[in-house]
């Protein structure tokens, strides 16, 4: 009875069943093999540092200086190498436009060390700040960044118990 319904369903919708073979599934490595491969990666990274090919800070991700809740559309970033300023700026612009952000302002400092983007705020600034932070943090060319809108005064923090 079930085979009849299955056949009718396949014929009507034109579907084919997938094979359930396990040969296409990824092989799960035992814990000791995973540990060996992680040690090999660490040794390789240490050898690269010892040879002077990379610096320790090159392995870190870009750090957000202020808080993710400070996002109001502006992002300032500092590059490790100013020669890559135009390339990094173009990559950020391409990514942001692909993800649906609207770039209102884009600047690079005269020496190329500092870049700035100002995005139009959308429906959910919290989600936008997380997406921007996630993308910029993983860029190895960027040393650190912060959410800041240029030309906007910082709100003053009033004390909790003002004197009367």
């Amino acid at each position: 009875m079930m085979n009849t319904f299955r056949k009718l369903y396949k014929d009507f919708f034109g579907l084919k069943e997938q094979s359930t073979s396990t040969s296409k599934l990824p092989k799960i490595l035992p814990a000791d093999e995973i540990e060996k491969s992680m040690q090999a990666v660490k040794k390789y990274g240490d050898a690269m540092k010892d040879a002077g090919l990379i610096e320790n800070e090159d392995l870190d991700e870009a750090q957000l200086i202020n808080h993710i809740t400070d996002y109001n559309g502006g992002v300032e970033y500092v590059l490790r190498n100013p020669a890559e300023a135009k390339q990094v700026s173009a990559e950020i612009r391409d990514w942001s436009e692909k993800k649906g952000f609207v770039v209102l302002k884009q600047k690079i400092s005269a020496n190329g060390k500092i870049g700035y983007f100002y995005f139009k705020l959308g429906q959910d600034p919290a989600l936008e700040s997380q997406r921007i932070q996630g993308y910029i943090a993983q860029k190895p060319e960027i040393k650190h960044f912060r959410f800041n809108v240029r030309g906007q005064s910082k709100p003053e923090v009033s004390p909790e118990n003002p004197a009367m």
Side-chain angles (χ1 to χ4, degrees), residues 13 15 30 36 42 55 60-61 88 107 110 122 151-152 155 160 163:
F13 290 107
L15 300 176
K36 285 179 187 177
K42 186 177 181 330
E55 296 178 17
D60 295 334
E61 66 179 25
V88 170
K107 290 185 181 180
Q152 186 180 43
E160 288 187 30

Side-chain angles (χ1 to χ4, degrees), residues 6 35 38 49 55-56 59 62 71-72 84 96 99-101 104 112 118 131 133-134 139 144 148 155 158-159:
R6 182 177 286 163
E35 184 64 33
M38 289 178 67
K49 285 183 211 172
E55 296 178 17
N56 192 21
L59 298 177
Y71 178 72
N72 263 342
E84 299 173 334
S96 61
K99 295 297 181 182
F101 294 102
L104 298 177
Y118 184 64
R131 292 173 77 187
Q133 187 263 342
K139 302 271 310 150
H144 55 266
N148 181 38
S158 60

Side-chain angles (χ1 to χ4, degrees), residues 1 13 21 35 39 41 44 49 52-53 63 79 81 87 93 96 116 128 134 138 146 159 163:
M1 184 73 161
F13 290 107
S21 69
E35 184 64 33
Q39 289 174 353
V41 169
Y44 178 73
K49 285 183 211 172
L53 297 174
Q63 296 297 312
L79 295 172
N81 183 3
Q87 175 192 354
R93 184 179 194 92
S96 61
Y116 175 73
E128 292 174 10
Q138 59 93 24
R146 67 180 174 170

Side-chain angles (χ1 to χ4, degrees), residues 126-144:
L127 178 64
E128 292 174 10
S129 66
Q130 288 176 350
R131 292 173 77 187
I132 291 169
Q133 187 263 342
Y135 178 74
I136 292 179
Q138 59 93 24
K139 302 271 310 150
E141 301 93 351
I142 297 176
K143 189 174 186 177
H144 55 266

Side-chain angles (χ1 to χ4, degrees), residues 55-129:
E55 296 178 17
N56 192 21
E57 66 183 35
D58 289 343
L59 298 177
D60 295 334
E61 66 179 25
Q63 296 297 312
L64 177 61
I65 294 175
N66 55 358
H67 301 285
I68 201 163
T69 56
D70 294 337
Y71 178 72
N72 263 342
V75 180
E76 288 182 315
Y77 57 90
V78 177
L79 295 172
R80 297 181 196 277
N81 183 3
E84 299 173 334
K86 289 187 179 182
Q87 175 192 354
V88 170
S89 181
E91 288 174 0
I92 293 172
R93 184 179 194 92
D94 291 344
W95 174 84
S96 61
E97 289 174 348
K98 184 175 105 179
K99 295 297 181 182
F101 294 102
V102 177
V103 178
L104 298 177
K105 201 181 286 185
Q106 175 182 357
K107 290 185 181 180
I108 300 174
S109 65
N111 63 2
K113 188 90 172 149
I114 300 172
Y116 175 73
F117 274 91
Y118 184 64
F119 300 103
K120 179 180 178 183
L121 285 177
Q123 295 290 330
D124 190 1
L127 178 64
E128 292 174 10
S129 66

